[in-house]
Amino acid sequence: MSGESTPSTVPASTGTVTTAVPARLDRLPWSRWHWMIVIGLGTVWILDGLEVTIVGNIAGRLAEEGSGLDITAAQVTGTAAALYVAGACSGALFFGWLTDRYGRKRLFMVTLVVYLAATALTALSFESWWFFLCRFFTGFGIGGEYAAINSAIDELIPSTYRGRVDLIINGSYWLGAIGGALLSIVMLDTDIFAIDMGWRLSFALGVVLGLVILLVRRNVPESPRWQFIHGRGDDAEKLVSSVERDIEREHGRPLPPPHSEITIQQRRSIGFGLIAKTVFARYPRRAVLGLSLFVGQAFLYNAITFGFGTILITFYDVPTGSTGYYFAVIAAGNFLGPLLLGKLFDTAGRRIMISSTYILSGLLLFGTAWLFDRDVLTATTLTACWCVVLFFASAGASSAYLTVSEIFPMETRAMAIAFFYAIGTAAGGISGPLIFASLTESGVPSETVLAFQIGAGLMCAAGLVAAFLAVKAERRSLEDIAEPLSVAHGTTPTSGPSAQGGDSPAPR
């Protein structure tokens, strides 16, 4: 069906709409329009990676006399990191609710502005309490980004490509981490910048990059799936028809007809009670899956990568200004994981890939902890071990966001992402940095090994949960994976095997 064919959204007098919009979006071939979405929405993870990495690498510099702040390295990697994560959890819940209520586009503009303002104010920090406050609100904006962006991406990208695109976009965080690591080397060079200026300029450059992304993001549209459920069926129809016409011109051939329609009872908003009932009563197995994946990856990343620079300084006497070289290497491993393994999540399948990446990264981390405890590693070989561990862990961690954004009904998507991100990250991401900062600061190898082992154990446990509970979501419509709450039963159903309610296993 071309974009100029008979409209697929037909309002009914009873407040229902019958639409083929989901099927029309899923059957689109890859195009320049999809690249625009990826660039406009996905590049913010580069900012997040830049931000977190800079803070981790400047911890030692901030603790030095003359930095302009009266703060210790442990406070930067512990207290400030925990506040950043606490802000991210709060922002995810707050903006997640607004995203489901007021739309994806409004919120992914607002959250980026919040992030940029807080980052700019971080550069102006004059006291430790100000730095801590700014870190909280920077995280607050980033948390909102996770909810708004992941829901928008999955609703706009065709089902054939959804897994790999979502993984690569979430993995692009590590491109920012590479940039942050290398940038910190230059900014911490006192031959170039004064000791109290280099770290401030690092944050300022992040703001400049964010402003460029903000300009690009203005062209990203609202999710047509959100529009037709929230009484804006005409807008969804116009948007999808316009995209279809552009893609037909780009590819030089008409599009195939959509394979299904769905009838929706339109509604303006969804209450918290219905969301909670849906996630925990209707899909309890999926709730356990989401929570397990987020706790495992949150502890591993927030507990250990926040303090990687401190480990190098404490145990291997790596100079403060050189930690960025090492971090750039493990960041590259992190990005290559989703980039090279992402396609397998759409072909081999979600269950095998999620479980194997979690379990394998956990086992490799246990091995790294054993080598570290035996004192046979150098700064270089530890970095190499971490690079291999995080190659697999990064693909698994990215799949956590993919999983919770596609296995729950559309009306709850942003809040589901926000909830599992907040709970999982609060469990591993707030307690992790606080515990890990004290363990690494002690300089006792066995205490650092314990943190490694906890992270490894949680990753293995999450992988085992995924082996039993992961949903067969590859190449399937979102509406097929989890039936929308607004479906008008007794009317035209979606085609496909599972417009299934409850938690019954997906067909294999």
Side-chain angles (χ1 to χ4, degrees):
M1 182 181 77
S2 75
E4 299 176 301
S5 60
T6 304
S8 64
T9 304
V10 183
S13 59
T14 57
T16 62
V17 335
T18 297
T19 178
V21 160
R24 291 166 68 186
L25 289 170
D26 281 338
R27 64 55 155 118
L28 294 176
W30 193 260
S31 67
R32 288 189 295 267
W33 185 74
H34 296 108
W35 277 118
M36 181 266 294
I37 293 168
V38 169
I39 294 171
L41 297 182
T43 44
V44 75
W45 297 159
I46 298 176
L47 275 182
D48 189 17
L50 184 77
E51 178 85 19
V52 173
T53 306
I54 285 176
V55 173
N57 285 322
I58 68 173
R61 176 54 47 83
L62 288 174
E64 294 176 4
E65 186 177 352
S67 69
L69 284 181
D70 182 16
I71 196 170
T72 67
Q75 286 178 316
V76 177
T77 59
T79 305
L83 285 170
Y84 179 87
V85 175
C89 295
S90 303
L93 292 171
F94 178 72
F95 288 119
W97 175 70
L98 293 178
T99 297
D100 278 334
R101 187 177 183 88
Y102 296 110
R104 287 38 172 149
K105 184 176 178 66
R106 290 182 185 178
L107 271 298
F108 63 59
M109 297 296 286
V110 171
T111 53
L112 183 54
V113 170
V114 171
Y115 169 82
L116 290 174
T119 300
L121 292 172
T122 303
L124 302 177
S125 296
F126 54 91
E127 293 283 354
S128 58
W129 67 265
W130 179 272
F131 182 81
F132 294 148
L133 184 66
C134 290
R135 295 307 297 157
F136 176 85
F137 280 105
T138 303
F140 193 73
I142 280 294
E145 286 278 299
Y146 278 108
I149 300 303
N150 277 289
S151 55
I153 289 171
D154 283 358
E155 290 168 11
L156 292 169
I157 297 298
S159 57
T160 302
Y161 309 101
R162 187 174 62 240
R164 73 196 75 174
V165 170
D166 194 290
L167 259 68
I168 292 172
I169 285 177
N170 279 284
S172 68
Y173 169 100
W174 296 102
L175 288 177
I178 295 172
L182 298 177
L183 181 64
S184 68
I185 296 171
V186 177
M187 293 301 177
L188 295 180
D189 189 340
T190 52
D191 291 334
I192 302 175
F193 299 104
I195 192 172
D196 63 340
M197 284 301 298
W199 65 268
R200 297 182 190 275
L201 292 175
S202 299
F203 289 110
L205 288 176
V207 174
V208 173
L209 178 59
L211 289 173
V212 174
I213 295 174
L214 187 64
L215 294 175
V216 174
R217 188 173 286 186
R218 292 184 307 168
N219 299 315
V220 178
E222 180 57 85
S223 163
R225 284 177 157 103
W226 182 89
Q227 287 176 322
F228 72 69
I229 282 182
H230 289 79
R232 294 171 55 185
D234 289 343
D235 292 337
E237 167 63 31
K238 291 176 183 177
L239 171 59
V240 176
S241 294
S242 174
V243 172
E244 288 173 329
R245 288 192 293 270
D246 289 342
I247 290 178
E248 286 182 332
R249 283 195 293 268
E250 178 181 341
H251 287 268
R253 62 178 185 271
L255 294 169
H259 63 78
S260 64
E261 291 184 331
I262 187 170
T263 299
I264 291 293
Q265 178 67 49
Q266 293 179 314
R267 58 174 83 195
R268 295 292 179 182
S269 63
I270 308 291
F272 272 119
L274 182 56
I275 291 174
K277 181 180 179 181
T278 300
V279 172
F280 295 103
R282 186 175 178 182
Y283 295 106
R285 288 158 56 93
R286 298 184 183 191
V288 171
L289 171 66
L291 188 60
S292 300
L293 296 181
F294 267 95
V295 169
Q297 66 86 28
F299 195 95
L300 177 73
Y301 277 97
N302 290 294
I304 296 174
T305 59
F306 266 125
F308 184 68
T310 304
I311 294 173
L312 295 177
I313 295 168
T314 303
F315 294 99
Y316 300 106
D317 298 320
V318 174
T320 301
S322 300
T323 58
Y325 292 113
Y326 296 92
F327 202 94
V329 173
I330 67 167
N334 270 287
F335 178 65
L336 289 174
L339 181 66
L340 299 180
L341 299 178
K343 185 177 181 179
L344 295 175
F345 284 78
D346 285 324
T347 54
R350 303 287 199 262
R351 178 172 297 177
I352 183 64
M353 290 306 299
I354 295 172
S355 59
S356 61
T357 51
Y358 267 79
I359 293 173
L360 186 55
S361 62
L363 293 176
L364 289 170
L365 181 52
F366 273 124
T368 301
W370 182 76
L371 293 173
F372 183 86
D373 191 38
R374 291 176 61 87
D375 195 26
V376 298
L377 296 175
T378 64
T380 300
T381 54
L382 175 65
T383 301
C385 289
W386 267 102
C387 194
V388 176
V389 169
L390 297 176
F391 175 86
F392 297 102
S394 181
S398 295
S399 72
Y401 295 93
L402 167 67
T403 297
V404 298
S405 69
E406 65 183 1
I407 64 174
F408 296 105
M410 203 234 96
E411 299 89 336
T412 70
R413 182 160 296 122
M415 268 308 296
I417 297 169
F419 176 81
F420 288 103
Y421 171 81
I423 298 301
T425 304
I430 297 177
S431 61
L434 291 173
I435 296 170
F436 198 69
S438 62
L439 292 176
T440 55
E441 191 178 42
S442 71
V444 178
S446 61
E447 295 187 356
T448 301
V449 167
L450 175 61
F452 288 179
Q453 291 173 335
I454 294 172
L458 289 172
M459 287 295 283
C460 288
L464 291 174
V465 171
F468 290 98
L469 301 184
V471 177
K472 181 180 171 63
E474 58 272 13
R475 301 185 302 279
R476 294 170 64 197
S477 167
L478 295 171
E479 292 72 22
D480 181 41
I481 299 167
E483 183 182 79
L485 302 180
S486 304
V487 150
H489 289 284
T491 56
T492 308
T494 47
S495 65
S498 95
Q500 60 188 17
D503 243 351
S504 55
R508 303 284 313 168

